[in-house]
Amino acid sequence: MKSNISDLMDRWPGPVPPLEDQPVADLDALRARTLEKVRAQGKRTKGRRVPRAVVLAAVLAACVVLAGAATGQLQAVLTRDWRHDTLVSSPEEAAADAARRAEETGENMAYGWINPNGDPPVPLEEMVEKARAKSASWDTGDCIGGTFGPLINQWTGPEVTDQTGAVWSRTIHGVEQGHSPLSALFPRKYTKYEYTARTPADLDTVLSGLVTPDTDWLTETFTAPDWANFYYRIYDSRQVLRGEVCHLLYTLPEGRYVQLSYGYAPGETFSSSYLMESHYDRAETYTSATGLEAVIRTKNGILWADTATPEFLLSLYGGYLTVEEAEAILDHISVELAPED
């Protein structure tokens, strides 16, 4: 069963105020220094690997990240090391490709498959209801979960900072607590800044700039249900960005729609998989006018379009959306990519 990006996280927003407005508590600093000393004396362990969708494959790369201390806005440049899922015509082709990658990297490559289910698209009314879940409970603790990057298992809040005007904001606190005595004593703490807006164009005012959807064109082409969007960013106790997520929903006549989602997690590694072309009604790769390399598939009225680097996932999930419409949307999405050599 194919998972879209919104299956990897909860469904709703968050940006960040100036970093100097969020000082690190003395206790957190003390804990951090203590952990540094402990780790320096201990054995180094491998970094955690995050599977993309439902399977594992080896992918290693990096992106350049600079945090603006004055504004709190992320300035990020992603590499053009595209890691979207790979279309193949047979299991033998997948095995041969995995062997080639293993030889190039010198690693024992594991690989897996993603197969579509036979279900029709989620009804439009249900999509809108889910997309509005955050805004509908903005001042409650009903929909405060969700993470992309660190595996945070406890959220508290929310602290509503604004619930007037076209853009709402709130702050939520999280804890990543492991099973060891040390992690129980020194749990990792995070802050999530969430936003939702009347329209995606309004939400555009608080995005970091890593991804820039052409909201003017999207608004002219589609309809955006009010308050059916969200954005959030997660910072650790040292004010280091750990995750960024955005979901936008657009609709068309006759119950059609598209959800545009992206997630960015600095330092993580998302794994790609193989896709059997014959399992889809239509499957192809596409390079957008803005330089995004994506794989697009359709099955029983559902459309998936995904583009990915090792730390970044962008996807379209469409209900009765055509491939040509998906291509046009990708042509109107810009991502901060490193220049080609």
Side-chain angles (χ1 to χ4, degrees):
M1 176 177 175
K2 173 64 180 177
S3 299
N4 63 49
I5 194 171
S6 57
D7 295 322
L8 303 178
M9 65 204 83
D10 180 60
R11 323 180 67 85
W12 307 103
V16 178
L19 296 185
E20 60 268 31
D21 292 341
Q22 301 292 327
V24 178
D26 291 342
L27 180 58
D28 286 339
L30 177 60
R31 288 174 171 172
R33 288 196 295 270
T34 303
L35 282 175
E36 285 179 358
K37 293 180 181 179
V38 172
R39 288 168 178 164
Q41 298 172 1
K43 182 180 179 180
R44 294 181 60 89
T45 59
K46 284 188 175 181
R48 177 168 52 86
R49 190 179 192 75
V50 180
R52 182 178 177 223
V54 293
V55 292
L56 294 175
V59 273
L60 297 172
C63 78
V64 179
V65 181
L66 300 173
T71 63
Q73 290 298 298
L74 170 71
Q75 303 297 322
V77 179
L78 299 174
T79 69
R80 292 176 182 267
D81 187 8
W82 299 112
R83 297 291 183 176
H84 56 70
D85 296 328
T86 303
L87 291 171
V88 294
S89 59
S90 67
E92 292 75 18
E93 183 180 350
D97 185 71
R100 176 187 59 79
R101 295 186 186 186
E103 184 176 354
E104 291 176 354
T105 63
E107 294 185 2
N108 184 14
M109 304 290 288
Y111 68 93
W113 297 93
I114 290 179
N115 296 316
N117 57 38
D119 298 333
V122 175
L124 173 60
E125 294 76 12
E126 184 177 339
M127 286 294 295
V128 174
E129 181 181 2
K130 289 181 178 179
R132 286 174 171 163
K134 288 265 188 181
S135 60
S137 58
W138 198 245
D139 57 352
T140 75
D142 292 346
C143 293
I144 61 173
T147 182
F148 194 74
L151 298 177
I152 302 169
N153 49 27
Q154 180 182 339
W155 291 108
T156 59
E159 299 172 7
V160 175
T161 52
D162 192 359
Q163 200 171 356
T164 63
V167 181
W168 295 353
S169 60
R170 66 183 186 178
T171 301
I172 298 169
H173 300 284
V175 174
E176 180 182 12
Q177 193 168 38
H179 300 293
S180 69
L182 184 62
S183 62
L185 180 61
F186 299 106
R188 297 175 181 174
K189 296 183 178 180
Y190 301 88
T191 302
K192 180 168 62 170
Y193 302 92
E194 292 196 333
Y195 293 77
T196 186
R198 187 179 304 279
T199 69
D202 295 321
L203 192 67
D204 216 8
T205 62
V206 296
L207 300 182
S208 69
L210 175 63
V211 178
T212 304
D214 186 345
T215 51
D216 289 339
W217 178 85
L218 288 164
T219 300
E220 293 174 359
T221 310
F222 307 100
T223 299
D226 288 351
W227 304 105
N229 57 74
F230 76 88
Y231 171 71
Y232 65 70
R233 293 167 68 190
I234 300 172
Y235 283 74
D236 63 22
S237 59
R238 298 183 181 182
Q239 293 301 329
V240 175
L241 178 74
R242 297 298 303 276
E244 176 178 352
V245 166
C246 184
H247 287 291
L248 308 176
L249 181 65
Y250 290 94
T251 66
L252 299 91
E254 300 177 349
R256 302 194 306 130
Y257 59 84
V258 59
Q259 184 178 64
L260 189 167
S261 307
Y262 74 80
Y264 170 58
E268 300 290 354
T269 299
F270 303 114
S271 299
S272 59
S273 302
Y274 290 99
L275 306 165
M276 186 75 73
E277 294 175 340
S278 60
H279 291 169
Y280 296 89
D281 297 331
R282 182 173 175 182
E284 60 190 52
T285 57
Y286 178 73
T287 300
S288 74
T290 55
L292 303 180
E293 187 176 307
V295 58
I296 304 174
R297 297 93 62 213
T298 63
K299 179 72 173 181
N300 292 344
I302 298 178
L303 178 141
W304 301 271
D306 301 301
T307 185
T309 72
E311 300 174 309
F312 173 78
L313 306 175
L314 184 148
S315 71
L316 305 181
Y317 175 83
Y320 305 105
L321 194 74
T322 68
V323 170
E324 290 71 25
E325 288 169 329
E327 292 173 348
I329 293 171
L330 292 171
D331 286 343
H332 289 83
I333 300 173
S334 299
V335 177
E336 288 297 313
L337 296 170
E340 294 184 272
D341 296 332

